[in-house]
Amino acid sequence: MPTVVIGTAGHIDHGKTSLLRALTGIDADRLPEERERGMTIDVGYAHLAFDDGVELDFVDVPGHDRLVGNMLVGAGEIDAAMLVVAADDGPRPQTIEHLALLDALAIRDGLAVVTKIDLVPEARLAEVIGETVALLERTGLGGVPVLAVSSTTAAGIEALREALRGLRDRVAASPVGWPSPARLAVDRVFSARGRGLVVTGTLRGARLAAGDEVRLEPAGHVARVREVQVHGARRADADGGRTAVNLAGVTASQVRRGNVLVPLPGRDKARGPAWPAIQPTSQLLVEISPPSAIADATSWPPRDATQLRLHLGTAAVDATVRRRGREGTPLANGRATARLALAEPVATFAGERAVLRQAASGDLAGGVRVLDPDPPRGASRRRVTPPRLDALVAALDRDPAAARAAMLDLHGALPDGGTIEFSGDIGDALRDRAVALVTATVEADPLSRGLALPEARTQLARTLRTLAEIRRSWARAASVALDDHIATLVASGEIARHGDRLLPPGTGAGAPDGLAAAMDRLEAALGVNSPPGLAGAAAAAGCPPDGIGALQAAGRIVRLEADLAWATPTFHRLAALALDMARREPLTPAAFRDATGSSRRYVLAILEDLDRRGILVRQADGHVPGPRAPAA
């Protein structure tokens, strides 16, 4: 059974830490100043072991209004909530604020505990329980159990343990919600004597063991796991819940609260799906929800360029709301989409919940769900339309497969392993373009052998870049995807392939057999460093002028003068030799002539062509690489 993490919530001095001590025997106030002042300042942790061997993790958060940011560090990684209300005080401002924050994070299960019942008469207890129930009913936690206990006398503690057992079973057995990618959101970083750097957090969707490699996002630092501890005890591995990880290969200055530890792929450790995946980003496409009905009133929706504070996982970062462009679309129930520009990168994934607060007052500005951690840009941004945003929001309510399909439709093209996946409309556009290119090639020259495969790939890549963003890092994957796309068109019979040439279906491979053979003979005759005159070579090969033109149109020969041509591979080899020699020292015609074993006529024609195209530049002492010379 997976470990369930429960976060406390409630006003300062309502007994959250005392309640956990009575339940677990653990003092969640770990800092000396917390014990001295009798109040929780930072997030604390405790756990409860049941007789079936399954443990329950608790996150104890501070209740002071000035420490809500610390409260959200703990609340960002919980499965359920335990609201604590003191019987003598009743619901207070931070009770309401914490509930509103839990509502924004879409926490929908938990329980409420009325503490300090030994200090009040039964009538007052009943009144506070009624107020608590009424308050819960205005949030997503409406209907959860409400129990009454005394941490001092232990009254009701056993009943609370049983209720927690039921909560644990209920959360663990509930239908699987949005998948949790393998990660540990770091909430503490410290150095242990004799061990080195230690980070703690809630481990999700992964198993970690000594020797495993991990990456710390968003910076991308790679580290190795030295040791794993769970609840203070060394373990061979950990598979979820509160976990401490001793790391090697990184320093304390490279890690901080808010980082996310991600197991490196390829080690078969992740239990969750490959998508959604953790991504470093400073731009988010999000769905924002109005503040809870119990929160203080705030302007809604946030105006364009509003500065807010985003609390996501264990991170907190300044964010600027962008709603004026394509990403700002109204949704049902008062929700809206927006782009958030972050002051610094975070690590997140599609579907993660977060909270926006006012930067100055700290008031709740709304709940957040990440729609896309890497929003469309470039040509793909034109695809951001209200119908596609609506479809993505709806798909995130269903399952990852639907969400991935909706995101692909939003972007038009997305990497998928070693290739790129295209949306339906872009696949159709590429098909139409490929058929049109092949048809036009043959119509322009009936003797053509068809469209060369490299040229087809180049033309389709140009078309693709006008339809969707294709990043430089995706170039190899795009080439594979386009080859796969062409192969699919060939398999479906929409185009035909003869060798490395593409033709309309049912079309012969270019010229008649006799002419094709003559063209092959001429191409072979021109495949030498010092080719014969073109007219004489064509006559000897029996190749008419139409055949010469077809060879040129197909890119099989390079004609520099009326009577001077090379077979294309030979010309490219000679041009590459010239550029290589010019990189070492200024290239003279004499040196090039000696290297090729040809004559001055041939080398001058080649050097002049390379000069004209900017691949070489002529200087006083010879030719040197020009501005258009390819990288070495």
Side-chain angles (χ1 to χ4, degrees):
M1 179 180 291
T3 301
V4 175
V5 182
I6 297 178
T8 66
H11 196 77
I12 184 173
D13 202 30
H14 275 205
K16 296 186 295 296
T17 304
S18 298
L19 178 60
L20 289 183
R21 189 184 305 117
L23 275 170
T24 67
I26 297 171
D27 190 346
D29 280 346
R30 58 184 173 81
L31 301 176
E33 55 266 39
E34 291 178 326
R35 293 170 180 165
E36 180 180 339
R37 296 167 62 181
M39 62 176 284
T40 300
I41 297 172
D42 204 353
V43 184
Y45 306 97
H47 60 276
L48 176 62
F50 293 102
D51 52 15
D52 59 6
V54 179
E55 294 177 312
L56 193 67
D57 282 332
F58 291 95
V59 177
D60 186 29
V61 303
H64 199 287
D65 61 343
R66 293 196 300 271
L67 300 172
V68 170
N70 285 357
M71 178 268 181
L72 285 167
V73 168
E77 291 293 319
I78 65 174
D79 302 302
M82 183 168 70
L83 177 69
V84 178
V85 181
D88 54 348
D89 257 3
R92 301 291 291 164
Q94 265 57 66
T95 311
I96 297 171
E97 184 172 18
H98 283 194
L99 263 180
L101 293 169
L102 293 172
D103 219 26
L105 288 167
I107 302 299
R108 297 293 180 253
D109 207 347
L111 49 80
V113 182
V114 178
T115 61
K116 303 185 181 182
I117 63 173
D118 54 309
L119 302 181
V120 300
E122 289 188 6
R124 172 59 180 166
L125 175 59
E127 179 185 2
V128 172
I129 290 176
E131 291 175 353
T132 302
V133 169
L135 187 60
L136 289 168
E137 287 297 331
R138 300 170 62 192
T139 74
L141 289 171
V144 302
V146 180
L147 297 94
V149 306
S150 169
S151 302
T152 302
T153 67
I157 293 295
E158 281 306 314
L160 176 57
R161 285 198 181 98
E162 286 306 307
L164 287 167
R165 182 196 296 270
L167 174 60
R168 177 204 68 179
D169 295 344
R170 193 165 65 245
V171 172
S174 63
V176 176
W178 191 250
S180 180
R183 73 191 191 282
L184 182 148
V186 175
D187 50 43
R188 290 179 62 202
V189 182
F190 58 92
S191 295
R193 181 173 297 177
R195 283 186 170 87
L197 183 67
V198 177
V199 301
T200 69
T202 299
L203 181 61
R204 303 284 191 184
R207 183 179 295 274
L208 276 184
D212 285 353
E213 287 187 320
V214 295
R215 187 175 62 251
L216 283 153
E217 297 290 12
H221 301 303
V222 175
R224 180 176 54 84
V225 176
R226 277 180 174 160
E227 182 182 335
V228 174
Q229 286 194 11
V230 177
H231 302 153
R234 185 173 182 175
R235 297 275 185 92
D237 57 34
D239 63 357
R242 295 293 310 165
T243 305
V245 184
N246 182 202
L247 295 176
V250 290
T251 63
S253 64
Q254 294 175 310
V255 189
R256 61 176 177 171
R257 172 181 283 182
N259 288 169
V260 178
L261 185 153
V262 182
L264 283 180
R267 299 184 63 86
D268 197 28
K269 297 294 183 182
R271 297 186 306 185
W275 191 89
I278 299 292
Q279 291 182 249
T281 180
S282 57
Q283 296 278 336
L284 297 175
L285 178 61
V286 299
E287 171 195 21
I288 50 178
S289 302
S292 170
I294 63 173
D296 291 337
T298 185
S299 60
W300 182 261
R303 291 193 298 270
D304 187 69
T306 301
Q307 302 288 320
L308 298 173
R309 186 77 170 164
L310 176 70
H311 297 265
L312 182 143
T314 58
V317 59
D318 290 334
T320 303
V321 178
R322 301 296 185 196
R323 297 199 63 243
R324 188 172 295 172
R326 291 175 169 267
E327 294 83 1
T329 296
L331 301 171
N333 301 321
R335 298 167 299 142
T337 61
R339 182 188 287 255
L340 297 182
L342 308 183
E344 56 187 275
V346 298
T348 186
F349 58 95
E352 186 169 20
R353 298 280 182 172
V355 166
L356 282 171
R357 298 171 68 216
Q358 299 291 343
S361 66
D363 291 341
L364 176 61
V368 166
R369 179 168 58 164
V370 177
L371 300 179
D372 189 349
D374 192 4
R377 52 190 181 182
S380 291
R381 192 155 183 255
R382 296 194 298 269
R383 301 177 61 85
V384 180
T385 61
R388 286 193 173 109
L389 290 173
D390 284 337
L392 179 56
V393 170
L396 282 165
D397 291 331
R398 298 200 301 273
D399 58 73
R404 171 72 180 184
M407 193 173 293
L408 174 61
D409 187 47
L410 186 70
H411 284 258
L414 286 173
D416 182 18
T419 183
I420 287 180
E421 189 177 4
F422 304 132
S423 62
D425 63 310
I426 285 187
D428 291 345
L430 291 175
R431 177 199 62 209
D432 294 344
R433 178 63 173 154
V435 171
L437 285 169
V438 169
T439 302
T441 299
V442 175
E443 287 179 349
D445 182 7
L447 297 179
S448 170
R449 295 172 62 207
L451 180 65
L453 186 59
E455 177 64 15
R457 187 187 301 124
T458 298
Q459 293 294 337
L460 290 180
R462 289 174 182 165
T463 299
L464 177 59
R465 286 187 170 87
T466 67
L467 300 173
E469 180 202 19
I470 303 297
R471 301 177 193 174
R472 289 186 178 182
S473 59
W474 303 355
R476 185 183 298 275
S479 180
V480 171
L482 290 173
D483 280 346
D484 290 344
H485 192 72
I486 292 170
T488 299
L489 296 178
V490 171
S492 67
E494 294 180 78
I495 58 176
R497 179 172 176 178
H498 296 276
D500 65 344
R501 300 282 166 163
L502 303 176
L503 291 155
T507 304
D513 290 343
L515 178 57
M519 292 166 60
D520 290 342
R521 289 193 295 270
L522 177 57
E523 182 181 12
L526 300 178
V528 293
N529 291 1
S530 305
L534 181 57
C543 184
D546 284 350
I548 298 174
L551 286 172
Q552 280 188 263
R556 295 171 62 185
I557 64 173
V558 176
R559 192 172 184 176
L560 297 188
E561 298 175 4
D563 199 40
L564 179 60
W566 280 266
T568 298
T570 303
F571 178 81
H572 287 169
R573 176 175 54 79
L574 292 171
L577 174 63
L579 179 58
D580 184 58
M581 293 178 69
R583 284 196 174 105
R584 292 195 294 268
E585 60 181 349
L587 176 62
T588 64
F592 191 34
R593 179 199 61 202
D594 294 343
T596 59
S598 60
S599 69
R600 185 175 179 84
R601 178 197 175 202
Y602 298 107
V603 299
L604 285 178
I606 293 174
L607 292 177
E608 287 171 1
D609 177 71
L610 296 178
D611 288 343
R612 184 170 57 253
R613 292 189 285 135
I615 296 173
L616 294 181
V617 173
R618 183 180 179 181
Q619 296 183 347
D621 52 352
H623 298 261
V624 297
R628 295 186 179 179

